């Protein structure tokens, strides 16, 4: 107001205006300052935002690149896998095709093998005779009291030898007797040191024929003490036969053959084969079922009969057949049958040399109807087997008790298809009664009866082999229960092996000559037949 005092209005107004102007200027500089600060701040924020966004986008780029690589790698992997899959598919297809070809070839080869094997077996003769000479044993020395020391020494002298593996030489000169110097030829001759293994090696090919659909019979012929039971079963008849390591090498043909049959079956498709066993004894022209049980399950020898069926086959009605699934089960059954002979001497017979023992393995093959004709290449066999088809299931199969085994249960399932057929083949293993020529003079009662039955059954066997050899229309199978029982595995295209057992001592000369004569006659017949079939004669038929 001092400044204004004394001033004119205009001057005052001018001053006011100047003051206003000054204020205005002051305000605007403040605003400018504020604006600058804001701008600065904004710029800074924007910059950091920008760098953050830049960082974010870089990060995003990095990550998406990694993902892309991963996707690409996965894609590549898939592509590779696809290619590999395609390769595999092609390979699988190729393999499938070659498998089919191999299967077809295998089927053809199998049929060829079967035909060849049969020709080979036929070449050796459907009846072949082998001869085994046992070693001299301590009991060969024992002779009657009335015999002089000199003669006793001669008794244990060896007169039968294996000259080579096809020839038996019997050489003996005794004072007061014509000297003997004779040779006999057989398909195979075993000397006294040849093992059970060696004997079985020649038997095994017959078992291949068995699974090819042929019946097979292996019988031991010879006098008492010549080694029949040893050859067929093993060294201890009374003891239990078993597949234990220490005794296995001593086992005879019967346990070994069973083992081989199960081995051959194990190579076939499961469920297509099963095996039943029967054990019978033929004594005084009667057949005893050694596996029959009474209602309490106790084993007893029951008498049975042999009949001829409408198809012309031999059959024993009601005979006990037990299904077995391995060789041990089989041996258990055979032991049971053999022990019965010991426990019931009156019912059957205690002295094993006085009766014929027949162990039969019946092999049932399951074949489907459509395949049946092609399974066996040659028409004849196929037709023959078709005729043999039977509709009976073994008891165990019908009851379907044996659920534990696929082999046992499969046939039951097949039954429903109706296309299934069964073929039965038989392996008969026979330990014949002693063939010694016991004279009838001085023998009376039961012993006479027994002797005459043995003589009759063995001569009936010789007659049957003779008739087969001569190809006679009528073969007298029914002349004895023994031959009737063995009919199907002796005649026709069945394969028979006669194992002649010979004691080498001079004491048994007569019996040995008789056995060798029996074997020679059985063999001659077959040789004639082989020639007729125009088979080339093998240089060494073994
Ligand atoms: P078979 O049954 O013919 O009456 P065995 O088989 O019982 O005769 O044999 C009589 C005896 O001779 C038995 O003690 C048996 O062990 C023995 N034996 C038989 N063959 C041989 C052989 N090849 N090697 C050793 N011992 C044998
Ligand atoms: Mg015996």
């Amino acid at each position: 107001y001092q400044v204004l005092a004394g001033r004119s209005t205009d001057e005052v107004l001018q001053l006011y205006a100047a003051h206003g102007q000054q204020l205005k200027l002051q305000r605007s500089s403040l605003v400018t300052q504020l604006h600058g600060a804001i701008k600065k701040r904004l710029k800074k924020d924007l910059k950091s935002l920008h760098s953050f966004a830049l960082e974010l986008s870089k990060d995003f780029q990095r990550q998406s690149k990694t993902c892309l690589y991963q996707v690409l790698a996965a894609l590549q992997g898939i592509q590779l896998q696809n290619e590999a899959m395609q390769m595999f598919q092609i390979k699988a297809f190729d393999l499938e095709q070659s498998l089919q070809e191999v299967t077809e070839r295998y089927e053809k080869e199998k049929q060829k093998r079967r035909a060849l094997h049969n020709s080979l077996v036929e070449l050796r003769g459907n009846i072949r005779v082998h001869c085994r000479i046992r070693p001299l044993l301590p009991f060969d020395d024992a002779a009657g009291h009335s015999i002089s020391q000199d003669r006793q020494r001669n008794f244990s002298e060896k007169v039968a030898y294996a000259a080579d593996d096809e020839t038996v030489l019997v050489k003996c000169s005794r004072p007061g007797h014509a000297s003997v110097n004779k040779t006999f030829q057989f398909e195979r001759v075993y000397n006294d040191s040849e093992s059970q293994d060696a004997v079985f090696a020649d038997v095994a090919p017959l078992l291949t024929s068995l699974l090819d659909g042929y019946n097979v019979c292996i019988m031991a012929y010879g006098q008492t003490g010549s080694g029949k039971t040893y050859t067929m079963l093993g060294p201890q008849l009374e003891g239990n036969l078993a597949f234990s390591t220490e005794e296995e090498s001593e086992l005879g043909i019967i346990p070994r053959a069973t083992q081989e049959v199960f081995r051959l079956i194990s190579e076939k498709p499961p469920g297509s084969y099963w095996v039943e066993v029967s054990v019978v004894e033929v004594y005084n022209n009667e057949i005893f079922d050694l596996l029959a049980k009474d209602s309490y399950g106790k084993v007893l020898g029951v008498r049975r009969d042999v009949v001829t069926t409408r198809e012309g086959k031999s059959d024993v009605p009601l005979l006990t057949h037990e299904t077995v699934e391995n060789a041990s089960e089989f041996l258990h059954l055979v032991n049971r049958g053999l022990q019965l002979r010991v426990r019931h001497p009156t019912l059957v017979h205690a002295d094993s040399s006085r009766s014929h023992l027949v162990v039969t393995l019946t092999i049932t093959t399951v074949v489907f109807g459509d395949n049946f004709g092609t399974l066996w290449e040659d028409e004849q066999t196929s037709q023959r087997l078709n005729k043999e088809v039977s509709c009976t299931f073994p008891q165990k199969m019908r009851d379907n008790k044996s659920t534990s085994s696929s082999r046992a249960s499969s046939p039951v399932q097949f039954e429903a298809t109706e296309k299934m057929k069964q073929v039965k083949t038989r392996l008969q293993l026979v330990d014949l009664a002693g063939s010694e020529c016991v004279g009838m003079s001085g023998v009376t009662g039961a012993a006479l009866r027994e002797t005459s039955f043995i003589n009759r059954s063995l001569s009936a066997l010789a007659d049957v082999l003779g008739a087969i050899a001569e190809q006679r229309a009528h073969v007298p199978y029914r002349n004895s229960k023994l031959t009737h029982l063995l009919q199907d595995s002796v005649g026709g295209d069945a394969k028979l092996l006669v194992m002649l057992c010979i004691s080498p001592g001079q004491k048994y000369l007569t019996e040995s000559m008789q056995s060798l004569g029996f074997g020679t006659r059985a063999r001659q017949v077959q040789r004639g037949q082989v020639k007729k079939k125009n088979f080339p004669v093998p240089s060494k038929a073994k």
Side-chain angles (χ1 to χ4, degrees), residues 132 134-135 137 139 223-231 235 353 431:
R132 186 181 204 184
R134 73 151 166 82
L137 295 165
F139 66 80
Q223 62 161 132
T224 301
S226 60
K228 297 182 298 296
T229 305
Y230 178 85
T231 301
S353 73
D431 183 4

Side-chain angles (χ1 to χ4, degrees), residues 139-193:
F139 66 80
D140 287 329
D141 282 334
H145 301 295
S146 58
I147 295 163
S148 70
Q149 286 283 311
D150 228 28
R151 277 195 68 191
Q152 261 198 40
R153 192 166 47 76
N154 284 345
F155 262 10
S156 59
E157 202 177 280
K158 212 168 156 176
V159 297
Y161 312 85
D164 58 45
D165 62 2
E166 292 182 339
T167 318
V168 178
L169 168 67
V170 181
K171 200 171 177 191
C172 175
S173 55
R174 292 170 291 178
H177 287 85
S179 68
V180 181
N181 189 353
K182 211 166 172 336
T183 57
F184 299 86
Q185 299 281 320
F186 299 106
E187 276 72 33
R188 177 73 158 90
V189 174
Y190 306 94
N191 65 38
D192 58 11
S193 63

